[in-house]
Amino acid sequence: MINMQNSLRTFGRRTLSQSRLLSKVKLTADKYQISRGDYATISETDRTELLSMVNGKGLEGIENLDGYNTDWMNTVRGQSSLVLRPQTTEQMSKILKYCNENKIAVNPQGGNTGLVGGSNPVFDEVIISTSLMNQVEDVDPVSGILVAQAGCVLDDLNQKLSDYKLMMPLDLGAKGSCQLGGNLSTNAGGLRLLRYGSLRGTVLGVEAVLADGTIIDALQTLRKDNTGYDLKQLFLGSEGTLGIITKASILCAPLPNSVNVAYVSLETFDHVREVFKAARSQLGEILSAFEFVDEDCLDTLKDNLSLEPPVDKTPFTVVIETHGSNRDHDQEKLELFLEYLMENEMIVNGTVAEDSKKVGDIWQLRERMAEALQHDGYVYKYDVSIPLKHFYDLVEDMRERLGDKALRCVGYGHVGDSNLHLNVTTSEYSEEVNNLIEPFIYEWVASKRGSISAEHGIGFKKTNYLHFSKSNEAIDQMKLLKNLFDPNNILNPYKVLPQ
Amino acid sequence: MINMQNSLRTFGRRTLSQSRLLSKVKLTADKYQISRGDYATISETDRTELLSMVNGKGLEGIENLDGYNTDWMNTVRGQSSLVLRPQTTEQMSKILKYCNENKIAVNPQGGNTGLVGGSNPVFDEVIISTSLMNQVEDVDPVSGILVAQAGCVLDDLNQKLSDYKLMMPLDLGAKGSCQLGGNLSTNAGGLRLLRYGSLRGTVLGVEAVLADGTIIDALQTLRKDNTGYDLKQLFLGSEGTLGIITKASILCAPLPNSVNVAYVSLETFDHVREVFKAARSQLGEILSAFEFVDEDCLDTLKDNLSLEPPVDKTPFTVVIETHGSNRDHDQEKLELFLEYLMENEMIVNGTVAEDSKKVGDIWQLRERMAEALQHDGYVYKYDVSIPLKHFYDLVEDMRERLGDKALRCVGYGHVGDSNLHLNVTTSEYSEEVNNLIEPFIYEWVASKRGSISAEHGIGFKKTNYLHFSKSNEAIDQMKLLKNLFDPNNILNPYKVLPQ
């Protein structure tokens, strides 16, 4: 089993000492200067009614809800005074029916590990947490299909699946806290999309509750099912604005018999590209991840987490992982591949890990990047898709643009998916720095026909930039769909669609 | 390259002698006794206008359009007197705008290889053929992403892609005629979904024209793009009822360095299941197809196409294919696997093919099944998903139910996807036999929580059975979506949704 080092972050599960700090986070409403929608303010009657629907499983009082109102990066803060924690689909249905009839806005929340402010309220939306919907309903060992409630934590699912020699087809840094429903509603990508494909293909069925409380049972557990429109796709990636996912069935991947990780250091990004091309050809079907970090990332890991790279650092580092069924074959492929890279002077140095401890140590250098950056103070996070030929140019252009106004400007991410994470840090939030980055970065990405959000979604923070990646006609259709599914606009308002 | 034997069928491209026969096919309107919708009948002015929009590239006269009005199996026949063959998206847009404003119903048609009457008109709908939209716009050798017009034939795309050591991520028997747009609008599955995943994951972008002529450019070419609702999914699998796909971008698979095919004969379906489980575990990441045919299939191939199996026949035959990057590794895995099957008495006999001629010969036995059955006269085709534990029971139950009223009742299909093709033949269409099969088969499948259409779609023939696989709430949402996208219901009427 790929028992990777689980990072120490526990997003959304803050300790008391942390939550005391949170109230310093600026209110989203003030920071972004937007107006509250025309929603009802919940009355005492509403509060009593709603809490009774979840058998009292709720939390009250804005002063107690910092961990729900604020994102883990301390960049947005809402003002909700009520969290509801339903345990069943029927409870979810009752809540939404009531809120829809009374025009009460709601904010669906999973593990609250999102990076674009999509999982926190903006004003006083009622938070509906899926945390108590955490039951695994079925694992079929022959087909490899899992059926589970939306609140299951990704890592917990992997634990359960390992008994069946299976694993989830997605993996991401936040796995210790993020929930299945959140993964699906943000169409999470992560580290191994390259190998196991996107959720659009691996999610076989979804149960979701619409704004008016209607339960849509599209919880098929079949690999092939062409019976009419594929409604579940509407709930994947729509970030809780068209319905709330309550259950899902997902095609899991077999747990590999053999896992190998190579860490290689390179001089230029051209070499990174060449090594990627060679990996696809020579490692072929066993290649499961191809990730990179730049030199500034290694410095951040050292400065902020005292993590040292296993070999001398160079401008670029690549982590290559293989998953396979035959250990001897996999090792032979990897050895031949690394020899080829050395002979052709594509890499400077490297090391290979086969045992799970060493595999975990190497993965830390990639997986704990988000955590490491957070120690600088404020992080401006961007997650873009750019064709590989322009991929790293953005980091260099941004670094030049920001000069000494930023503490750091680093690039890392999923080379195999053309997905760059560009991160800028300052000791505290600076509007000047923010304005230097945006909309410059979106214009830059759009000019290369990239995506302004590869995997993080639009959430709250990127709604005004949606048009850089979507045509006007497409945005019009999105608005029509939103109006069809949620005519009162109660589901996760201020998110995804431009105001 | 897996240069598989291309079957002789040329669906939708009939010779004159064949089309003379076609007029004997009963009109769909009579056979199914349904009423024409409230659409305009095209006037001479309409005809002139529409033909001018495609620069005269059309066909006129019901007597000349048998190949368009009728499906290749001779089971449905429409009465269209006009085929339009646009070459550009702009032409498609003009046609639809005009038809929508004048309430003229249209029938989008690709290669006309469908199996559920979805690609033929029911009454006098104007046929819009994508056949002349056959340009490949781009192949990116680094990312492996193809951008092409909807009318490209699947096999032609593979020819083109082979120059780049790439191949399409889907393969199906009709590849010599079926078109990309039709593949996408029916969400075609085929032989290698097991390995390369569904189109829901591999299609990265779509350009489509809505009923009112609006062009939706969602032609992204990025593996990761989470910017708002994934509109392209609405056009995949909706069989031309929500819009007409004009272009698509698709993530192609690397052409494998090594292809192996094993043909094994087995005594029972329990052995088929056991062999599948062993294949997934031992062949792992190189397994690319796992197909089966029953003994009656082998008889049909012999009787109707004079094709002989390579070893003595047994009740079940399985074709196992591997695609891999390293010939030695693949062959070693396959040899060890086959030894294991023999030692454990899971198979009776078998043969392995490595060169492309022998690989093609074996694949014929699976790929030409549809063609072989057609020679019996009339074919009642069913395409269902059933959990593997009940998989073959349906064929046995059906055989017993039909007794000597049918010529044959055979089962074959994609074991790896739990996808059974059940086919019944008679010398000519018999309502008695039809009524013995339906709705029995749908009730049977629904009782096992299967899908009444795994990959063929709903088309015209299965609309009344949709409820066996979709909940009422889901069908209600489908209707709302249809009304949103096509309020005049001009796009492929009488299809997908129940009347």
Side-chain angles (χ1 to χ4, degrees):
Chain A
M1 168 53 187
I2 38 154
N3 195 357
M4 283 168 194
Q5 171 83 21
N6 187 6
S7 79
L8 298 174
R9 284 170 297 155
T10 50
F11 311 150
R13 307 269 178 285
R14 292 194 184 74
T15 61
L16 193 60
S17 62
Q18 282 177 298
S19 58
R20 281 208 191 99
L21 293 171
L22 292 174
S23 52
K24 287 185 184 167
V25 179
K26 205 166 177 180
L27 286 176
T28 304
D30 297 340
K31 182 173 169 187
Y32 292 89
Q33 299 189 338
I34 60 162
S35 310
R36 185 177 179 281
D38 183 22
Y39 299 105
T41 305
I42 54 167
S43 63
E44 273 315 300
T45 315
D46 294 332
R47 193 178 291 268
T48 311
E49 278 285 324
L50 289 166
L51 282 168
S52 79
M53 290 176 190
V54 291
N55 300 324
K57 294 203 179 297
L59 297 165
E60 292 182 84
I62 190 165
E63 67 283 5
N64 302 316
L65 303 185
D66 263 349
Y68 294 86
N69 272 317
T70 314
D71 67 325
W72 71 275
M73 297 186 306
N74 296 342
T75 62
V76 292
R77 184 154 68 98
Q79 304 161 59
S80 180
S81 64
L82 182 62
V83 173
L84 300 173
R85 298 190 292 176
Q87 292 182 285
T88 67
T89 305
E90 291 64 35
Q91 289 177 1
M92 184 72 86
S93 167
K94 276 186 193 162
I95 293 169
L96 288 181
K97 187 168 187 292
Y98 185 93
C99 290
N100 192 51
E101 283 169 359
N102 293 283
K103 242 195 144 196
I104 296 168
V106 304
N107 167 238
Q109 190 177 95
N112 193 17
T113 64
L115 298 163
V116 287
S119 56
N120 305 101
V122 175
F123 290 94
D124 57 345
E125 298 93 284
V126 171
I127 296 170
I128 307 180
S129 165
T130 48
S131 293
L132 299 185
M133 302 184 76
N134 56 1
Q135 300 301 304
V136 171
E137 298 206 337
D138 191 45
V139 182
D140 181 335
V142 177
S143 64
I145 296 166
L146 164 83
V147 181
Q149 279 190 303
C152 292
V153 169
L154 184 56
D155 236 6
D156 296 346
L157 289 175
N158 273 329
Q159 283 296 324
K160 174 97 183 177
L161 288 166
S162 66
D163 296 342
Y164 301 87
K165 296 198 174 178
L166 293 168
M167 63 175 201
M168 291 292 282
L170 82 164
D171 193 7
L172 55 159
K175 63 192 165 201
S177 309
C178 67
Q179 297 177 7
L180 180 63
N183 291 156
L184 269 56
S185 63
T186 58
N187 188 34
L191 298 165
R192 298 199 183 88
L193 185 130
L194 171 70
R195 168 69 171 275
Y196 298 105
S198 90
L199 291 173
R200 303 259 168 219
T202 53
V203 174
L204 303 180
V206 154
E207 180 194 73
V209 182
L210 302 184
D212 67 1
T214 302
I215 299 168
I216 299 289
D217 176 359
L219 200 59
Q220 276 77 14
T221 54
L222 305 160
R223 285 199 72 161
K224 286 181 176 170
D225 177 30
N226 278 349
T227 52
Y229 308 160
D230 190 2
L231 296 174
K232 71 169 181 285
Q233 299 290 345
L234 286 165
F235 305 109
L236 301 181
S238 56
E239 306 183 47
T241 61
L242 297 180
I244 301 183
I245 293 172
T246 44
K247 289 179 192 169
S249 60
I250 189 161
L251 182 67
C252 300
L255 211 50
N257 294 327
S258 156
V259 175
N260 294 282
V261 174
Y263 176 106
V264 295
S265 53
L266 312 90
E267 283 295 346
T268 69
F269 197 80
D270 282 343
H271 287 122
V272 174
R273 264 192 296 264
E274 281 172 34
V275 171
F276 176 55
K277 213 174 157 185
R280 282 208 310 186
S281 156
Q282 295 181 38
L283 299 176
E285 62 279 1
I286 64 168
L287 181 64
S288 55
F290 192 102
E291 300 285 311
F292 100 106
V293 298
D294 66 14
E295 193 170 3
D296 283 12
C297 284
L298 295 182
D299 290 339
T300 314
L301 290 163
K302 188 176 175 185
D303 296 348
N304 294 352
L305 298 179
S306 304
L307 287 175
E308 294 273 4
V311 298
D312 289 345
K313 71 189 169 87
T314 53
F316 297 95
T317 297
V318 165
V319 176
I320 299 164
E321 184 195 65
T322 65
H323 279 182
S325 57
N326 183 307
R327 184 167 298 274
D328 294 342
H329 291 170
D330 293 2
Q331 286 177 356
E332 193 180 316
K333 283 192 184 87
L334 193 58
E335 276 160 26
L336 288 169
F337 169 64
L338 293 172
E339 275 168 27
Y340 171 87
L341 299 185
M342 290 300 281
E343 273 166 21
N344 288 275
E345 298 181 355
M346 290 156 90
I347 60 174
V348 179
N349 209 334
T351 178
V352 174
E354 285 151 22
D355 69 279
S356 66
K357 166 77 175 68
K358 208 173 158 201
V359 164
D361 287 348
I362 288 182
W363 265 118
Q364 278 198 75
L365 300 169
R366 167 62 188 84
E367 284 201 300
R368 296 183 70 185
M369 268 314 303
E371 178 193 359
L373 288 160
Q374 201 63 18
H375 287 255
D376 274 4
Y378 194 89
V379 187
Y380 312 76
K381 292 191 95 70
Y382 299 91
D383 159 51
V384 295
S385 286
I386 306 173
L388 277 189
K389 62 183 162 187
H390 307 296
F391 197 76
Y392 196 70
D393 300 348
L394 176 61
V395 183
E396 288 168 340
D397 287 0
M398 186 65 79
R399 212 171 260 152
E400 194 182 319
R401 182 175 171 86
L402 296 173
D404 57 9
K405 294 208 167 68
L407 284 178
R408 302 182 206 264
C409 175
V410 312
Y412 62 97
H414 317 290
V415 175
D417 310 320
S418 278
N419 179 187
L420 173 72
H421 295 318
L422 182 147
N423 284 239
V424 174
T425 64
T426 52
S427 58
E428 56 189 35
Y429 176 72
S430 152
E431 194 150 326
E432 185 194 1
V433 170
N434 196 63
N435 293 341
L436 276 171
I437 303 173
E438 301 180 15
F440 170 80
I441 187 168
Y442 301 121
E443 288 162 358
W444 198 103
V445 169
S447 76
K448 303 292 186 285
R449 296 186 58 85
S451 167
I452 64 142
S453 187
E455 54 180 12
H456 294 172
I458 296 298
F460 169 75
K461 292 185 187 171
K462 297 191 181 177
T463 56
N464 293 330
Y465 308 110
L466 184 62
H467 67 277
F468 284 108
S469 280
K470 279 267 188 294
S471 69
N472 291 335
E473 292 81 7
I475 293 174
D476 287 346
Q477 291 302 318
M478 284 176 56
K479 287 178 178 167
L480 290 171
L481 284 168
K482 171 68 177 175
N483 189 51
L484 180 68
F485 277 77
D486 179 20
N488 289 341
N489 194 21
I490 63 158
L491 287 173
N492 220 8
Y494 324 104
K495 315 285 169 67
V496 184
L497 290 155
Q499 296 306 306
Chain B
M1 168 52 185
I2 38 152
N3 195 358
M4 284 168 195
Q5 173 83 20
N6 187 5
S7 80
L8 299 174
R9 284 170 296 155
T10 50
F11 311 149
R13 307 268 178 287
R14 292 194 185 75
T15 62
L16 192 61
S17 64
Q18 282 178 299
S19 56
R20 282 209 191 100
L21 292 171
L22 290 173
S23 53
K24 286 187 187 166
V25 178
K26 207 167 176 179
L27 287 176
T28 304
D30 297 340
K31 182 172 168 186
Y32 291 89
Q33 299 188 340
I34 60 162
S35 309
R36 184 176 180 279
D38 183 22
Y39 299 105
T41 305
I42 54 167
S43 64
E44 274 314 301
T45 314
D46 294 332
R47 192 178 292 267
T48 310
E49 278 285 325
L50 289 166
L51 282 168
S52 79
M53 289 175 188
V54 291
N55 301 323
K57 294 203 181 296
L59 297 166
E60 291 183 83
I62 190 166
E63 67 283 5
N64 303 315
L65 303 184
D66 263 350
Y68 293 87
N69 272 316
T70 313
D71 67 325
W72 70 276
M73 298 187 306
N74 297 341
T75 62
V76 291
R77 184 155 67 97
Q79 304 161 58
S80 180
S81 64
L82 182 62
V83 173
L84 300 172
R85 298 190 292 176
Q87 293 182 285
T88 67
T89 304
E90 291 64 34
Q91 289 177 1
M92 184 72 87
S93 168
K94 277 187 192 161
I95 294 168
L96 289 181
K97 186 168 189 290
Y98 184 92
C99 289
N100 192 51
E101 284 169 358
N102 293 282
K103 241 194 147 196
I104 297 169
V106 304
N107 167 238
Q109 189 176 96
N112 193 17
T113 65
L115 298 163
V116 287
S119 55
N120 306 102
V122 175
F123 291 95
D124 57 345
E125 299 92 283
V126 171
I127 296 171
I128 307 180
S129 164
T130 47
S131 293
L132 299 185
M133 302 184 75
N134 57 1
Q135 300 300 304
V136 171
E137 299 206 337
D138 191 45
V139 183
D140 182 334
V142 177
S143 65
I145 295 167
L146 164 83
V147 181
Q149 278 189 303
C152 293
V153 170
L154 184 55
D155 237 6
D156 296 346
L157 290 174
N158 272 327
Q159 281 298 323
K160 173 98 181 177
L161 289 166
S162 67
D163 297 343
Y164 301 86
K165 296 198 175 179
L166 294 168
M167 64 175 200
M168 291 291 282
L170 82 163
D171 194 6
L172 56 158
K175 62 191 165 201
S177 311
C178 66
Q179 298 177 8
L180 181 62
N183 292 154
L184 269 56
S185 62
T186 58
N187 188 33
L191 298 165
R192 299 201 184 85
L193 186 130
L194 171 70
R195 168 69 171 275
Y196 297 105
S198 90
L199 291 174
R200 303 258 168 219
T202 53
V203 173
L204 303 179
V206 155
E207 179 194 74
V209 182
L210 302 184
D212 68 0
T214 302
I215 298 169
I216 300 289
D217 177 359
L219 198 60
Q220 275 77 15
T221 54
L222 305 160
R223 286 200 71 160
K224 286 181 175 170
D225 177 31
N226 278 348
T227 52
Y229 308 161
D230 191 3
L231 295 175
K232 71 169 181 286
Q233 299 290 344
L234 286 166
F235 304 110
L236 301 181
S238 56
E239 306 183 46
T241 61
L242 296 180
I244 301 183
I245 293 172
T246 45
K247 290 179 192 170
S249 60
I250 189 160
L251 183 67
C252 300
L255 210 50
N257 295 326
S258 158
V259 175
N260 295 281
V261 174
Y263 176 105
V264 295
S265 54
L266 312 90
E267 283 295 347
T268 69
F269 198 80
D270 281 345
H271 286 122
V272 174
R273 264 192 295 262
E274 281 172 34
V275 171
F276 176 55
K277 214 173 156 186
R280 281 208 309 189
S281 156
Q282 294 182 37
L283 299 176
E285 63 279 1
I286 63 168
L287 181 64
S288 56
F290 192 102
E291 299 284 312
F292 100 106
V293 298
D294 66 14
E295 193 171 2
D296 284 10
C297 285
L298 295 182
D299 291 338
T300 315
L301 290 163
K302 189 177 175 186
D303 296 346
N304 294 351
L305 299 178
S306 303
L307 287 174
E308 293 272 4
V311 298
D312 290 344
K313 70 191 170 82
T314 53
F316 296 95
T317 297
V318 164
V319 175
I320 299 165
E321 186 194 64
T322 65
H323 279 182
S325 58
N326 183 307
R327 184 167 298 274
D328 294 342
H329 291 171
D330 293 2
Q331 286 176 357
E332 193 180 317
K333 283 192 183 87
L334 192 57
E335 277 160 25
L336 287 169
F337 170 64
L338 293 172
E339 275 168 27
Y340 171 86
L341 300 185
M342 290 299 281
E343 273 167 21
N344 288 275
E345 298 180 356
M346 291 156 89
I347 60 174
V348 179
N349 208 334
T351 179
V352 174
E354 286 153 18
D355 69 279
S356 66
K357 165 76 175 68
K358 208 174 158 201
V359 164
D361 287 347
I362 288 182
W363 266 117
Q364 277 198 74
L365 299 169
R366 167 63 188 83
E367 285 201 301
R368 295 182 70 186
M369 268 313 302
E371 178 193 359
L373 289 160
Q374 201 64 17
H375 287 256
D376 274 4
Y378 194 90
V379 186
Y380 310 77
K381 292 192 96 71
Y382 299 91
D383 159 52
V384 294
S385 287
I386 306 173
L388 277 189
K389 62 183 161 187
H390 306 296
F391 196 75
Y392 196 70
D393 300 348
L394 176 60
V395 182
E396 287 168 340
D397 287 0
M398 186 64 78
R399 213 172 261 154
E400 195 183 319
R401 182 176 173 84
L402 295 174
D404 56 9
K405 293 207 169 67
L407 284 177
R408 303 182 205 264
C409 175
V410 311
Y412 62 96
H414 317 290
V415 175
D417 309 321
S418 279
N419 179 188
L420 173 72
H421 295 318
L422 182 146
N423 284 237
V424 175
T425 64
T426 51
S427 57
E428 55 189 37
Y429 176 72
S430 153
E431 194 149 327
E432 186 194 0
V433 170
N434 196 64
N435 292 342
L436 276 171
I437 303 173
E438 301 180 12
F440 170 80
I441 187 167
Y442 300 121
E443 288 163 357
W444 197 103
V445 169
S447 75
K448 304 292 185 286
R449 296 184 60 84
S451 167
I452 63 141
S453 187
E455 52 180 13
H456 294 172
I458 296 299
F460 168 74
K461 292 185 187 172
K462 298 192 180 177
T463 55
N464 293 329
Y465 308 110
L466 184 63
H467 66 278
F468 285 109
S469 279
K470 279 267 188 294
S471 69
N472 290 336
E473 293 80 8
I475 293 175
D476 287 346
Q477 292 303 317
M478 283 175 57
K479 288 178 179 168
L480 290 170
L481 284 168
K482 171 68 178 175
N483 188 52
L484 181 68
F485 277 77
D486 179 20
N488 290 340
N489 194 22
I490 64 158
L491 287 172
N492 221 8
Y494 324 105
K495 315 287 169 65
V496 185
L497 289 154
Q499 297 305 309

